[in-house]
Amino acid sequence: MSEQSNSNGYIIECQDVNKWFGEFHVLKDINIKVKEREVVVVIGPSGSGKSTLIRCINRLEEHQEGKIVVDGIELSNDLKNINAIRRETGMVFQSFNLFPHLTVMQNITLAQRYVRRRPRRDAEDMARQLLQRVGIPEQANKYPGQLSGGQQQRVAIARALAMQPKIMLFDEPTSALDPEMIKEVLDVMKELARSGMTMLVVTHEMGFAREVADRVIFMDSGRIVEIGTPEHFFENPSHERTKLFLSQIL
Amino acid sequence: MSEAYHRPDETFYIAPKEPPPSRRPPALTIGPAGWLRKNLFSSVRNTLITVITVGLMAAFFYELVTWSVAKAEWNVVNNTMRLMMVGLYPVDQIWRIELMAVLLVFLSGLGLGVWGGNARGFFIIALMIIIAALFIPIGAERIEPPPIRFLITPTDAIGPVVFVGDKDDTVRLLVEPIDDNAIANETSPFVGFIENSPGSSSSRALWNNAKAQVVAGTLDLTNYNLQLTVQLLDRSGKVLDEQLSTPAQRTVNFEFKLPADGWYYVQVLRDETGEAIYETVDGIQLPIAPARTLPNTGYAWIRINGVETMSSQVADVEQRTKTYGEVPAVQCPSAAECRRLLLEENTRFEGARSFSAFLKTQLDPFLQEIIVSLIVGFAVMLAAYSIGNFAKQSRNPSSKKAVSRVTIIGWIIFFPLSWILLSGFKDPDSVHPFLRLPEVAQSLWGGLILTIVLTFVSLTVAFPIGVLLALGRRSKLPIISIFCILFIEVVRGVPLITILFMAKFIVPYFAKSMSDTELLIRLLVGLTLFTAAYNAEIIRGGLQIIPKGQIEASQALGLNPFATNVFIVLPQALRAVIPAMMSQSVSLFKDTTLVSIVGLFEFLGMIELIVNGQQIYRPYQREAYLFVGVIYFIISYIMSSLSRRLEESGAGTVRKMRKA
Amino acid sequence: MTAKYSRTDDFFVNTADLSARRPPPRSQNAAVQILQLPAVIVASYLAYIGGTIFFWNLLNDFPAILAIIVKILASKVGIHLDSLDTFLNIFIVNITNVVEAGWLGFLVAFPYIIYSVANGLYVQWRTNIPIYRNIVFLSDITQSVFLLAVIVGLYTLMLNVKDNTQIPINWNVVSRRFSVEVSEGPDFNTELTWLKDIPLVGDSLANVNVLRPGTATRALMTGVINTLRAVLLALVFSTLLGIFVGIGLLSNNWLVRNLSTIYVEIFRNTPLLVQLFFIFRGLLGVLPTSPRDAYKLGDFYLSGRGLNFPKVLTTDTYPYFLVSVIAGLVVGIYLWRWRLKVQDETGKPANTLAWFSMAFWGLGAIGLGLAFAVGGSPFKLDYPVLDRFNFSGGSRWSSGYLTLVVGLTLYTGAFIADIVRAGIQSVSYGQIEAARAHGLTSNQTLRLVVLPQAMRLIVPPLTNQYLNLSKNSSLAIAIGFYDLYNVATVVQNQTGQAVALFAILMGTYLVISLLISLLMNMVNRSMRLKTR
């Protein structure tokens, strides 16, 4: 699928990415490199552009300047590229965005059947496996409205995984959940990380970052302020802004 | 109460072991008295309002009921029932319409059973109506047909009155001379039929004229003499009985029993000679009437009892001719009034009829027309509902799926199928010898069936167009959205009737092939575009409810825009707007009345044709319009209460996601 | 999982101070900046379309010549295309018209197509994105194809209309003579004397062809005025009735509540046309037709021809009265505001209504007295007097007008009642409880708490009902009242110019709808809840 082989083993590469909403400069000179099988957590105050960055990677938002390369495919106005990239990335949203008029099983198999062109049996088998993996195999025939928040988010994760993506993007997956349910979703994400999936997670869960992340990116006002390993980041931050931020939340 | 307990304002208090028995609320606050007090008489102002309203309502209803029972002539509805329901459809092909109606009822019943809730109330009400309809005619016993009166004036000649009678019917003839000024001062004295000649020659007009003259003093009825011979003749002109009205014996009253079925006529002759009249008995001439000294010009009412006015319906005329033969030719005393047939178009009911007369002559024919279809419809609906309900509640989920699939497929093929059924084929034998459906031109369609066809076809065809327009309006491509917005706003900003006129006059210009198109097709095009624009607005509301995140999620999954719309957006949007669409359908149903202005005879147009186009029914416009209003009201009310139930059952809302 | 990487480019501290930058700068060249302005682009495109239409005759010959050349070349090769013509003529749709329209559509969409193709090729050259997969190019092409289809469709219809109408479309139809007698509304057979009073353009306007007495334009203007007369009156009455019945729907009194419900259900579920016919033929139609037998109530005469009532005319002393009424209004408004200020500063009850009424009625009475003192009553009544066959003097509401107003009022009133009920019910009961707990009386609660919030929910559907009312007034044609639609239909029948008249008709209705929408939007905006 990739037109050029991965350069240096980086699966996501952003070079000098700039984005404006009208006159408002929302992403300023973003440079990120994410390796395969790496778990990168993006943290920062609200309005810092973290969600926008994630959404630019699978073309839910368009960047005006700079270059984004995912799995060797450059993100541009090329329809084929966009579709290919969307197939390679799976996204989990803050508000779950499950389709309320379809059952859980149908939610997970819909894209498989119409995008990946899998036959229904195979799609359902894959769906059942994934539901088992996220821990709710018995909810297959229920409607999303009948599930709790944590269960819905896990179904959303299963739905994204069903497309067998190479990268999973998480846009504040636990921000809309009650505290009791955050743990179950984080457990799924930890298991996912352990199994070797490349993950780019925007979250406020510092515990998760400390435990699972390979690297932490701190963004503020649209620019990347600091990148580091969790130990470096949480024990020994360098930038003033990082120190200020951490002092307010920890 | 076991023991006295301490008042609660002391420092210590211990409740008794057992609680005091519960007491009923004060008598005037519960029960019917309480209800009255709360709802109707709660305050002075309220009481006043209640009293005034009750008074007004009582007066209004009293007027309404007495008018409809005693004075209104509902036969305008009974006689033209077929016209109103199916228009000018050929009589021998009406079975096709009946088949279509049965299918429609069956599919509705199925749908109601599978998806509807509890419809038991509806069936019980329908059953009660049918039972009432079956039993009312029994309560209405055979009554005397109202009398028929003619006024004899000094100058007018009275032609023979021709009627039909059965064997052993008793016909009573009464001549009541008016020789008393006091009688002239009374108000119109009669209940029954009077002839309906136009203008000044009708009995009513002449009577009013004479009354005015008596009151003014220019006419003295006591000055007149009257010498009439009233004869009853049979078809061939043979006098069966006659009696004389003479100055001595002014009032003539004779009964006659008809010997056989057939035509008879009553003839009134004025004796102009003025000579004495003698009768020969045993060879002796006995004077019956002396020579007349006063002019033989007086006023008299001739009243004929026991004879019914005859229907002027073509079918009935044919039946009558078959049974009794052609109308006999009779001698005319003058060219002016040659013959008066006791036809319903020549007579008019005046006065007030009794309730049992109302039952027998008005309600009974109406019920006879509809009872068969009511019973058949009820049975079919019940059967279909039971099937649907049974499938819905059965354990096997696939049976419910099968029945709902059958229903949906049934509805989808119903429309083209019914169109073919109604219009038939140009060459009936070409398709299949079994399917002999001769063509029925669309100009012959009319009545309630046409209204239903217009509504359903517009709804069905406008639906996909409306969806496309709504999606186009929200499109990001500016040219498409501008075009859709312009179209929707222009079509919604002009009255429907201008669109229909445009459709009628301008559409033929658009393509040569369409100038021969039937008016129905042209108006359907206009109606469909109009409905599509309104539907587009409704669907747009539904599209707006869908959270943007869903579209993003499906994009993130890689679904292309077409699949996103078909699988994600439209199912939710359409489900959300079902109640609004139903109320739009009710609006459309009411708007189909406008095609009557443009020349298509649907239900209202048919009524217009009947009531304005035909002389005999012209006085009965109020009854006709009331009937039309009631029918429209019933259908609209059923549809809107259905939609209200749908809305309450939650089918209309987007399925809510539980908040985390 | 601890990271195994320790390369320094994984640790990054941003020491630069990146403040916000403006979006990527456009070209510095002034000429390019001007040329890229949207207004310039649109204007040049419109000029291009104008030129195409202007030179249409020249341009249209091109495809015909091309077709001939193609045919000659093809016949040289051996293919005969003439038989194709006869084959195409079998189609009922006129192929020539479609081809001509296709050519126009192509010409109009041409710049856009060129632009999108050029853009796509440029992008392909620069970035290797093939043009057929470029989403920008794809959406541009979709739009241009759509534009082409719309233009082809509309122009084909227009050409077909031109072919098929026997009568050529004449936009001057409005200056033709209108010969039907319209017995109400402003008389269109008289000169418009007030036109001459307009400064500057008055004289030339008065001589314009289309405004002469008796022309169709004047008749159409009379029709518009008739429509407006009916619509405005029906608007006011139906709103009042709707409010009254809407409040009745929420009444405590079981009888009133149910009667209101019955009224609303009956008048909402029966078609308006049936109601109009019932009133016109069934109720007004049974009134005596001869004016001599008309029912008399004081000076009001009701007969089958309509309602005759005294006309109110103003006399010479009217200006005194008018001036004092206006003065009363102005003074009253000032007093109103003053009293509100007094209430703000001192807490005394404002009694605004009392003060306003005092000023208004007081000054009005003074004006009346003054008028009487000077020369007599400011008004005089012109009584309808029965001539031989008809009433003369007084003013008349024809039975058609009465029917239309009454029917529209009853019908729209039922819908408005339901809207009012829904609006009032939408105010949550807790608000009313809170207001009452604070000691506000029932009236004050209604005025200060319930109604302002209810109005927000009422105004948008109310706008819709007003628009429906103005459109439903066109049903006057069914009862013979000469509103705009009826007049236009008569003109169309006489002259056969359906296209011109329907354009005028639809334009007028659109303008009326637009005016009502704008007015109600202003009302709506003034009541908007200020949110964050």
Side-chain angles (χ1 to χ4, degrees):
Chain A
M1 198 76 64
S2 41
E3 292 176 347
Q4 329 148 215
S5 56
N6 300 346
S7 47
N8 310 327
Y10 290 122
I11 200 170
I12 300 179
E13 216 174 311
C14 294
Q15 292 175 8
D16 292 325
V17 174
N18 276 288
K19 178 170 172 54
W20 285 264
F21 274 132
E23 290 280 330
F24 177 53
H25 196 176
V26 68
L27 289 176
K28 304 168 185 160
D29 282 345
I30 304 285
N31 282 288
I32 297 183
K33 299 193 181 94
V34 177
K35 287 201 172 58
E36 260 189 272
R37 306 167 77 85
E38 200 180 1
V39 176
V40 177
V41 172
V42 183
I43 60 175
S46 63
S48 53
K50 344 187 268 288
S51 295
T52 317
L53 174 62
I54 293 263
R55 288 151 69 92
C56 279
I57 291 182
N58 72 347
R59 200 60 170 185
L60 286 178
E61 306 278 355
E62 244 182 83
H63 60 280
Q64 274 91 16
E65 263 187 21
K67 187 167 144 177
I68 300 183
V69 181
V70 174
D71 197 20
I73 308 169
E74 182 177 345
L75 203 54
S76 62
N77 273 339
D78 192 346
L79 191 65
K80 182 166 156 207
N81 286 4
I82 299 176
N83 283 340
I85 289 178
R86 285 197 179 144
R87 244 173 286 169
E88 297 307 313
T89 55
M91 184 143 183
V92 177
F93 296 86
Q94 177 178 358
S95 46
F96 331 137
N97 286 337
L98 291 179
F99 306 133
H101 60 294
L102 303 174
T103 61
V104 161
M105 177 65 74
Q106 288 167 335
N107 261 285
I108 302 181
T109 57
L110 180 70
Q112 290 183 66
R113 294 169 65 192
Y114 290 100
V115 179
R116 290 263 190 211
R117 311 280 171 89
R118 285 197 197 129
R120 191 160 63 89
R121 286 285 155 75
D122 300 347
E124 286 186 0
D125 287 339
M126 163 80 75
R128 267 184 266 269
Q129 273 178 24
L130 286 169
L131 283 175
Q132 181 80 30
R133 184 171 170 188
V134 301
I136 39 172
E138 71 282 356
Q139 310 284 6
N141 287 322
K142 294 229 181 110
Y143 282 94
Q146 297 169 302
L147 303 178
S148 76
Q151 292 170 328
Q152 286 183 37
Q153 190 64 296
R154 287 189 275 166
V155 170
I157 297 177
R159 179 176 69 172
L161 285 175
M163 303 295 286
Q164 292 170 316
K166 286 198 186 148
I167 307 168
M168 282 288 277
L169 304 168
F170 290 83
D171 184 3
E172 300 206 33
T174 55
S175 297
L177 294 176
D178 281 345
E180 307 100 56
M181 304 190 207
I182 293 184
K183 180 175 181 308
E184 58 195 39
V185 173
L186 286 180
D187 285 342
V188 169
M189 289 165 70
K190 286 180 200 165
E191 185 270 328
L192 205 56
R194 265 196 295 275
S195 69
M197 170 73 76
T198 316
M199 288 164 63
L200 188 55
V201 184
V202 172
T203 186
H204 294 300
E205 295 291 319
M206 302 300 155
F208 175 80
R210 258 200 253 235
E211 260 187 72
V212 182
D214 293 329
R215 271 190 303 153
V216 176
I217 299 179
F218 174 60
M219 277 181 74
D220 176 46
S221 320
R223 61 186 175 127
I224 301 214
V225 175
E226 190 161 345
I227 303 182
T229 59
E231 299 87 23
H232 162 96
F233 193 84
F234 288 109
E235 315 301 333
N236 204 4
S238 310
H239 201 283
E240 283 308 313
R241 184 72 188 87
T242 322
K243 289 186 193 155
L244 185 61
F245 177 74
L246 286 175
S247 69
Q248 283 170 335
I249 60 161
L250 287 179
Chain B
M1 191 107 87
S2 45
E3 65 218 311
Y5 52 91
H6 297 280
R7 299 266 156 215
D9 49 26
E10 295 185 0
T11 319
F12 293 96
Y13 170 71
I14 300 178
K17 281 212 187 56
E18 293 170 14
S22 51
R23 288 187 318 178
R24 306 199 72 222
L28 281 182
T29 56
I30 56 162
W35 181 89
L36 272 179
R37 196 148 165 249
K38 184 162 85 97
N39 285 315
L40 295 177
F41 300 109
S42 58
S43 68
V44 175
R45 200 178 70 163
N46 228 356
T47 315
L48 204 62
I49 293 179
T50 307
V51 166
I52 295 178
T53 320
V54 166
L56 284 173
M57 282 299 119
F60 177 72
F61 275 114
Y62 179 70
E63 277 302 320
L64 185 67
V65 171
T66 44
W67 174 79
S68 6
V69 168
K71 300 210 188 75
E73 179 64 45
W74 294 99
N75 278 324
V76 64
V77 164
N78 297 338
N79 290 343
T80 50
M81 189 67 97
R82 183 172 64 83
L83 269 180
M84 290 196 298
M85 292 297 155
V86 300
L88 298 164
Y89 213 81
V91 181
D92 54 341
Q93 299 292 325
I94 290 191
W95 63 270
R96 285 148 74 171
I97 296 186
E98 291 170 352
L99 182 62
M100 187 186 126
V102 165
L103 272 177
L104 185 66
V105 169
F106 184 74
L107 283 173
S108 318
L110 265 185
L112 201 65
V114 173
W115 296 303
N118 190 353
R120 231 174 283 148
F122 167 73
F123 281 106
I124 292 182
I125 293 180
L127 197 61
M128 289 198 321
I129 293 179
I130 290 185
I131 293 181
L134 276 175
F135 280 106
I136 282 179
I138 300 182
E141 78 280 3
R142 166 137 177 82
I143 56 159
E144 281 273 326
I148 300 156
R149 290 177 188 248
F150 295 97
L151 184 69
I152 298 172
T153 65
T155 46
D156 295 323
I158 309 129
V161 175
V162 186
F163 62 90
V164 147
D166 291 322
K167 183 174 167 153
D168 291 336
D169 274 353
T170 309
V171 172
R172 265 193 301 281
L173 290 166
L174 180 68
V175 177
E176 299 167 303
I178 310 170
D179 52 3
D180 184 348
N181 283 336
I183 299 181
N185 283 330
E186 286 173 6
T187 50
S188 176
F190 52 90
V191 173
F193 286 93
I194 189 172
E195 90 274 21
N196 198 17
S197 328
S200 50
S201 57
S202 71
S203 292
R204 170 175 256 311
L206 294 168
W207 172 242
N208 284 336
N209 213 5
K211 242 176 45 172
Q213 286 182 334
V214 167
V215 163
T218 51
L219 180 63
D220 188 3
L221 291 170
T222 56
N223 279 342
Y224 291 96
N225 206 336
L226 206 59
Q227 200 144 321
L228 302 170
T229 308
V230 180
Q231 296 175 325
L232 182 66
L233 304 92
D234 74 353
R235 182 197 182 91
S236 49
K238 189 175 88 155
V239 176
L240 298 170
D241 196 0
E242 65 179 358
Q243 286 217 15
L244 213 51
S245 149
T246 65
Q249 187 194 338
R250 305 292 294 274
T251 307
V252 168
N253 187 352
F254 70 92
E255 269 186 34
F256 192 80
K257 207 157 167 192
L258 299 176
D261 296 348
W263 291 94
Y264 294 90
Y265 55 99
V266 165
Q267 195 159 274
V268 174
L269 301 169
R270 202 194 298 277
D271 179 14
E272 299 294 352
T273 58
E275 295 165 356
I277 301 176
Y278 297 96
E279 191 185 341
T280 314
V281 172
D282 293 334
I284 310 171
Q285 280 213 320
L286 293 171
I288 301 173
R292 213 176 48 208
T293 48
L294 294 172
N296 184 8
T297 51
Y299 286 84
W301 281 112
I302 293 204
R303 191 168 68 171
I304 308 175
N305 266 8
V307 171
E308 293 196 25
T309 55
M310 305 182 286
S311 161
S312 57
Q313 298 271 14
V314 168
D316 293 340
V317 169
E318 287 173 358
Q319 181 65 35
R320 200 162 56 226
T321 315
K322 246 196 272 184
T323 321
Y324 300 110
E326 286 278 349
V327 180
V330 290
Q331 289 276 2
C332 309
S334 82
E337 288 276 0
C338 188
R339 174 183 72 195
R340 259 183 214 151
L341 270 186
L342 273 183
L343 280 183
E344 61 178 3
E345 69 188 13
N346 295 334
T347 57
R348 181 194 171 139
F349 186 80
E350 295 256 351
R353 64 169 78 86
S354 68
F355 185 67
S356 52
F358 167 74
L359 283 182
K360 180 72 170 69
T361 57
Q362 314 269 294
L363 200 54
D364 192 20
F366 177 70
L367 290 173
Q368 278 186 354
E369 303 244 4
I370 64 170
I371 192 73
V372 173
S373 21
L374 263 187
I375 293 183
V376 168
F378 182 76
V380 168
M381 183 125 194
L382 193 62
Y385 179 76
S386 324
I387 298 178
N389 218 7
F390 183 67
K392 178 168 90 160
Q393 290 171 348
S394 80
R395 310 251 169 158
N396 192 355
S398 66
S399 69
K400 172 171 179 184
K401 228 189 194 169
V403 172
S404 35
R405 230 167 247 182
V406 163
T407 318
I408 295 182
I409 295 180
W411 275 111
I412 294 179
I413 63 171
F414 173 70
F415 300 119
L417 184 69
S418 56
W419 185 271
I420 297 177
L421 247 188
L422 282 178
S423 55
F425 306 108
K426 267 207 182 53
D427 195 2
D429 295 314
S430 65
V431 178
H432 195 274
F434 184 64
L435 291 171
R436 259 202 74 94
L437 290 176
E439 184 185 19
V440 176
Q442 278 154 10
S443 50
L444 291 180
W445 298 9
L448 195 58
I449 287 292
L450 190 58
T451 305
I452 293 181
V453 164
L454 281 169
T455 317
F456 273 122
V457 173
S458 303
L459 272 178
T460 329
V461 178
F463 184 71
I465 303 180
V467 168
L468 288 175
L469 278 174
L471 289 174
R473 186 175 177 153
R474 277 170 45 105
S475 155
K476 289 196 204 57
L477 306 178
I479 295 189
I480 298 183
S481 69
I482 289 179
F483 173 74
C484 289
I485 292 178
L486 269 179
F487 180 83
I488 292 177
E489 290 305 324
V490 166
V491 172
R492 271 165 49 99
V494 292
L496 174 57
I497 196 157
T498 44
I499 296 182
L500 290 177
F501 257 84
M502 263 193 67
K504 181 174 172 189
F505 289 115
I506 301 191
V507 164
Y509 293 154
F510 281 161
K512 244 217 191 65
S513 60
M514 290 186 97
S515 48
D516 304 330
T517 322
E518 290 270 357
L519 183 61
L520 175 64
I521 308 276
R522 285 184 248 161
L523 292 181
L524 267 178
V525 168
L527 210 55
T528 306
L529 288 177
F530 180 79
T531 314
Y534 276 80
N535 280 356
E537 278 300 290
I538 296 175
I539 297 177
R540 180 172 80 116
L543 289 173
Q544 278 176 336
I545 306 185
I546 301 190
K548 192 156 166 274
Q550 305 235 351
I551 304 179
E552 288 180 347
S554 62
Q555 278 179 337
L557 283 172
L559 288 166
N560 60 21
F562 177 73
T564 315
N565 274 333
V566 167
F567 293 115
I568 314 291
V569 173
L570 282 181
Q572 296 184 63
L574 293 177
R575 225 169 285 188
V577 299
I578 288 181
M581 293 281 276
M582 285 229 55
S583 87
Q584 177 64 29
S585 339
V586 175
S587 267
L588 175 65
F589 178 69
K590 289 187 300 171
D591 283 338
T592 53
T593 50
L594 265 64
V595 301
S596 64
I597 302 181
V598 199
L600 204 61
F601 296 113
E602 41 69 68
F603 196 39
L604 184 63
M606 215 39 161
I607 301 279
E608 285 284 295
L609 201 63
I610 290 171
V611 150
N612 281 331
Q614 301 185 4
Q615 181 64 29
I616 67 174
Y617 292 128
R618 204 169 279 190
Y620 306 125
Q621 292 179 339
R622 276 177 289 182
E623 293 89 328
Y625 289 127
L626 267 179
F627 178 71
V628 170
V630 166
I631 295 288
Y632 271 114
F633 174 76
I634 292 177
I635 301 183
S636 304
Y637 188 73
I638 292 181
M639 280 166 75
S640 47
S641 59
L642 246 174
S643 96
R644 221 172 311 165
R645 275 223 295 184
L646 260 178
E647 194 163 2
E648 279 162 19
S649 79
T653 54
V654 176
R655 274 184 227 232
K656 296 248 186 294
M657 304 275 291
R658 195 137 56 101
K659 270 295 172 181
Chain C
M1 181 127 76
T2 44
K4 294 285 189 272
Y5 325 106
S6 56
R7 285 159 45 186
T8 44
D9 56 20
D10 295 331
F11 293 82
F12 173 71
V13 176
N14 193 348
T15 46
D17 175 34
L18 294 171
S19 45
R21 271 209 330 240
R22 294 189 56 96
R26 305 204 191 99
S27 163
Q28 299 298 338
N29 194 346
V32 178
Q33 275 183 337
I34 293 177
L35 278 179
Q36 284 182 339
L37 282 173
V40 171
I41 296 178
V42 169
S44 43
Y45 195 60
L46 286 177
Y48 164 77
I49 295 182
T52 308
I53 295 178
F54 190 67
F55 290 108
W56 181 235
N57 288 332
L58 268 172
L59 288 167
N60 206 14
D61 292 335
F62 179 66
I65 299 172
L66 186 64
I68 294 176
I69 295 177
V70 166
K71 259 197 228 158
I72 294 174
L73 290 175
S75 61
K76 288 249 167 67
V77 175
I79 310 169
H80 292 274
L81 290 175
D82 283 324
S83 48
L84 199 63
D85 276 340
T86 45
F87 175 68
L88 285 177
N89 269 337
I90 296 176
F91 287 102
I92 303 173
V93 176
N94 202 337
I95 290 287
T96 340
N97 282 347
V98 173
V99 167
E100 187 175 336
W103 178 233
L104 176 68
F106 175 71
L107 280 180
V108 168
F110 188 61
Y112 195 22
I113 298 178
I114 295 291
Y115 167 77
S116 31
V117 169
N119 219 5
L121 287 174
Y122 177 70
V123 165
Q124 180 166 18
W125 174 56
R126 272 309 179 86
T127 58
N128 262 337
I129 301 175
I131 193 171
Y132 57 90
R133 289 194 328 230
N134 188 347
I135 52 177
V136 176
F137 175 74
L138 287 174
S139 68
D140 280 338
I141 280 295
T142 315
Q143 287 194 84
S144 42
V145 165
F146 186 78
L147 184 63
L148 183 83
V150 166
I151 295 195
V152 166
L154 288 179
Y155 194 58
T156 317
L157 291 179
M158 274 175 55
L159 286 177
N160 277 346
V161 170
K162 216 162 57 168
D163 285 345
N164 290 334
T165 49
Q166 285 89 15
I167 312 170
I169 297 181
N170 176 14
W171 290 91
N172 213 17
V173 62
V174 290
S175 49
R176 293 222 221 139
R177 180 144 184 79
F178 186 79
S179 49
V180 173
E181 177 78 30
V182 170
S183 57
E184 52 190 325
D187 191 0
F188 54 84
N189 284 318
T190 56
E191 290 274 349
L192 286 174
T193 46
W194 52 268
L195 262 187
K196 294 211 172 71
D197 298 332
I198 303 179
L200 291 178
V201 292
D203 280 327
S204 44
L205 256 186
N207 284 331
V208 160
N209 222 5
V210 289
L211 290 177
R212 287 212 180 287
T215 53
T217 339
R218 293 289 305 278
L220 284 170
M221 281 164 58
T222 306
V224 171
I225 294 190
N226 277 339
T227 301
L228 289 176
R229 275 171 62 209
V231 165
L232 285 173
L233 209 64
L235 263 181
V236 169
F237 282 145
S238 65
T239 314
L240 290 174
L241 180 66
I243 293 178
F244 187 65
V245 176
I247 295 183
L249 279 170
L250 297 167
S251 156
N252 286 332
N253 192 327
W254 177 88
L255 206 60
V256 170
R257 197 170 57 229
N258 278 357
L259 281 175
S260 311
T261 313
I262 291 179
Y263 160 75
V264 168
E265 286 303 321
I266 288 183
F267 281 90
R268 275 209 306 190
N269 283 323
T270 6
L272 177 59
L273 200 56
V274 173
Q275 297 177 27
L276 286 178
F277 278 145
F278 185 76
I279 298 175
F280 187 61
R281 302 232 179 88
L283 293 182
L284 292 179
V286 296
L287 290 176
T289 45
S290 152
R292 239 173 302 185
D293 303 328
Y295 293 120
K296 186 163 131 73
L297 186 67
D299 277 306
F300 288 74
Y301 299 90
L302 184 65
S303 72
R305 303 204 49 203
L307 180 70
N308 285 295
F309 54 94
K311 189 160 158 180
V312 174
L313 297 169
T314 60
T315 60
D316 296 328
T317 55
Y318 177 66
Y320 295 101
F321 180 63
L322 185 66
V323 163
S324 52
V325 164
I326 295 180
L329 204 64
V330 169
V331 169
I333 292 181
Y334 266 115
L335 279 180
W336 185 295
R337 288 179 148 179
W338 172 65
R339 288 303 303 178
L340 283 177
K341 221 163 56 144
V342 163
Q343 181 179 41
D344 270 347
E345 286 166 6
T346 64
K348 291 209 214 118
N351 289 332
T352 47
L353 198 61
W355 282 81
F356 177 80
S357 315
M358 229 168 50
F360 185 64
W361 298 117
L363 278 174
I366 292 179
L368 205 60
L370 196 63
F372 270 107
V374 171
S377 160
F379 299 106
K380 72 172 190 259
L381 292 174
D382 182 14
Y383 291 99
V385 167
L386 184 55
D387 276 355
R388 272 193 313 149
F389 295 115
N390 214 344
F391 285 98
S392 63
S395 44
R396 177 172 81 104
W397 283 353
S398 68
S399 54
Y401 181 70
L402 273 177
T403 314
L404 195 61
V405 171
V406 170
L408 281 175
T409 306
L410 289 173
Y411 183 71
T412 317
F415 285 91
I416 294 182
D418 201 48
I419 292 173
V420 166
R421 179 193 57 85
I424 296 184
Q425 271 186 333
S426 74
V427 179
S428 62
Y429 194 60
Q431 307 236 354
I432 303 179
E433 287 181 332
R436 299 309 299 274
H438 279 117
L440 292 174
T441 67
S442 192
N443 254 346
Q444 285 169 328
T445 317
L446 198 68
R447 199 163 41 95
L448 299 168
V449 175
V450 175
L451 278 183
Q453 296 189 60
M455 286 305 280
R456 262 177 218 111
L457 208 63
I458 289 178
V459 169
L462 194 66
T463 316
N464 216 11
Q465 287 308 318
Y466 286 165
L467 291 173
N468 280 347
L469 190 143
S470 73
K471 285 185 283 175
N472 283 338
S473 69
S474 61
L475 289 182
I477 191 176
I479 53 178
F481 175 66
Y482 278 99
D483 74 322
L484 170 66
Y485 183 63
N486 204 354
V487 171
T489 315
V490 171
V491 176
Q492 189 262 332
N493 278 337
Q494 286 181 341
T495 61
Q497 295 290 342
V499 176
L501 278 157
F502 278 118
I504 297 177
L505 190 66
M506 288 171 66
T508 315
Y509 274 113
L510 279 175
V511 167
I512 296 180
S513 300
L514 207 66
L515 283 175
I516 295 182
S517 301
L518 276 175
L519 204 71
M520 297 303 285
N521 265 343
M522 282 192 333
V523 172
N524 205 8
R525 225 171 305 150
S526 73
M527 290 190 313
R528 224 182 3 187
L529 267 176
K530 310 272 179 297
T531 53
R532 226 159 22 102

